[in-house]
Amino acid sequence: MISQDDRSPRPDDGSARDADTSAAGVDRREAVDLSYCVVNTNGRELLAACLAAIERTHPRELTHEVIVLDNASTDGSVAMLSERFPGVSVIALDKRRGKAENDSQLLASARGRYCLLLNEDSELLPGAAAALVAALEADPRAAAAGAQLVAPDGTPQACAWRLPGVLWALAAVCGLQRLAVQSKGNRVREVGWCQSSALLVRRRAAAEIGFLDPDFFVYSDETDFQKRLRDAGWRILFVPRARCVHHDQLSTDPHAMRRRIVEFHRGRSLYMRKHHGPLTRALWRAAWTWFYCVRLLVACLRRGDDTRRWRLHAWQQLLGGRGEGLREAAAAFNRSRAAAADG
């Protein structure tokens, strides 16, 4: 089913507390166990691999649906879905939007008790979905469970962390920022937050807090989401048995790198303003500016290291993410598309 819908979801009014599938617009009689929720932006072949992995690895004992939100792609992704994955529900946007807003629309549209948020460059490995669902089934107070992300060669990636705060800032000053990483060990554990490239969400909990905050375009959106879940009394879990290949399709274009770094610090700055007072924010900014300056010095001394990247990080940490980021790039794309349509 393909639909054209460019509207943002409305937050739940709180009635979702009574049942996992009680949000407006979702018929309880048609509820399923698991909704796979995928956002795609010009990732046609990666998207195809993502959906094929869902088909291969889905636990047969769970009823499910697959929803793809296409973020105004220009690479034929929507046509590919019609041809190769006709059973997938598609929300095809005419305008490009941020990830927080897109994930919220998927969660609001989903019929599942559990919703597995995926990027188009995420590829589930056998047993991943089953392990994530089992973790939330075993812990009724857990709102989200993150998978262990791995590189295409199987190398585990850091994908769960402590929430940003004073201790993380002090660790960065000492060059010990890795202490914030919590994606370790072989057992399910409670963590601060997990990367949303493969994040299973209890839909009732997400509706209870109004889904993700659209003020975040991308970066720190999932951190804020999981912080708000924790503040509402829910737990966040890391599930190492659930493994997912993350292809990380980021462009090597230097202009794209600059926009990503601007957006990264913009999101982080917004998170700190929302959840911390002036003293903690000042300490955080000073600590990370110091870290990036030290990293820049190391890059200057080490052949082949990219000094531009660390210089930009240091500058943007001070500025709080000012300049042209991914939000502005999306707005420019939307203006260009609208002008072409009018012409």
Side-chain angles (χ1 to χ4, degrees):
M1 176 179 66
I2 297 179
S3 63
Q4 299 285 339
D5 193 345
D6 198 18
R7 294 171 295 175
S8 302
R10 294 182 179 178
D12 252 80
D13 60 4
S15 60
R17 299 178 186 222
D18 298 328
D20 285 344
T21 54
S22 61
V26 178
D27 189 336
R28 297 187 194 185
R29 293 171 299 174
E30 298 180 0
V32 296
D33 296 316
L34 177 59
S35 297
Y36 294 92
C37 302
V38 187
V39 174
N40 171 66
T41 307
N42 283 339
R44 182 180 58 191
E45 295 310 314
L46 286 169
L47 175 62
C50 173
L51 296 177
I54 290 173
E55 290 183 347
R56 288 194 308 271
T57 64
H58 174 70
R60 299 306 171 192
E61 67 274 14
L62 299 178
T63 57
H64 76 291
E65 63 177 348
V66 181
I67 313 172
V68 173
L69 185 148
D70 185 78
N71 198 24
S73 296
T74 57
D75 65 348
S77 290
V78 173
M80 180 276 293
L81 290 169
S82 297
E83 295 169 4
R84 297 168 59 180
F85 299 94
V88 170
S89 298
V90 181
I91 302 170
L93 301 184
D94 293 324
K95 295 180 180 179
R96 195 157 289 174
R97 301 188 316 200
K99 190 173 186 300
E101 191 172 1
N102 289 339
D103 279 344
S104 288
Q105 181 163 355
L106 283 166
L107 288 169
S109 302
R111 295 182 290 125
R113 291 189 301 120
Y114 301 119
C115 300
L116 182 48
L117 299 179
L118 296 165
N119 294 343
E120 72 271 64
D121 58 355
S122 301
E123 191 172 340
L124 295 170
L125 294 178
L132 291 170
V133 170
L136 291 193
E137 288 279 286
D139 188 344
R141 293 308 304 164
Q148 171 64 69
L149 302 181
V150 300
D153 65 1
T155 304
Q157 299 177 330
C159 54
W161 293 267
R162 302 180 190 277
L163 288 169
V166 172
L167 292 180
W168 193 350
L170 294 176
V173 169
C174 301
L176 300 174
Q177 67 278 4
R178 293 287 298 179
L179 293 178
V181 176
Q182 294 186 304
S183 47
K184 303 172 182 176
N186 298 315
R187 294 184 178 181
V188 176
R189 61 181 298 187
E190 184 175 3
V191 297
W193 66 282
C194 296
Q195 192 167 330
S196 62
S197 299
L199 182 70
L200 185 70
V201 176
R202 191 184 300 273
R203 190 187 178 284
R204 174 169 64 92
E208 181 181 305
I209 66 166
F211 304 114
L212 285 80
D213 182 350
D215 285 345
F216 293 88
F217 192 80
V218 66
Y219 297 125
S220 293
D221 52 317
E222 69 260 70
T223 317
D224 171 77
F225 176 56
Q226 291 166 76
K227 172 69 164 65
R228 288 161 49 225
L229 285 169
R230 288 171 60 91
D231 289 347
W234 296 94
R235 287 158 44 89
I236 309 299
L237 305 178
F238 168 66
V239 185
R241 286 183 52 222
R243 295 169 68 83
C244 177
V245 176
H246 187 215
H247 291 281
D248 200 0
Q249 60 159 338
L250 296 178
S251 169
T252 57
D253 174 23
H255 297 294
M257 179 191 72
R258 180 181 182 85
R259 289 191 292 267
R260 289 198 305 273
I261 291 175
V262 169
E263 204 65 50
F264 171 81
H265 288 283
R266 181 182 293 162
R268 179 180 271 189
S269 177
L270 174 58
Y271 176 90
M272 296 303 293
R273 293 197 305 275
K274 281 189 66 174
H275 298 292
H276 292 286
L279 184 59
T280 300
R281 294 202 305 269
L283 175 60
W284 179 270
R285 177 169 296 184
W288 279 99
T289 300
W290 167 263
F291 169 81
Y292 288 127
C293 287
V294 171
R295 192 62 187 82
L296 173 60
L297 178 59
V298 172
C300 291
L301 298 174
R302 187 161 57 189
R303 181 178 300 177
D305 211 335
D306 187 355
T307 58
R308 295 172 304 170
R309 175 188 175 194
W310 300 110
R311 184 181 299 110
L312 184 58
H313 268 299
W315 186 242
Q316 287 298 322
Q317 179 63 65
L318 281 172
L319 294 177
R322 298 180 187 175
E324 182 181 333
L326 297 177
R327 184 186 295 271
E328 288 76 19
F333 169 85
N334 292 337
R335 288 193 299 270
S336 176
R337 170 173 271 199
D342 292 341

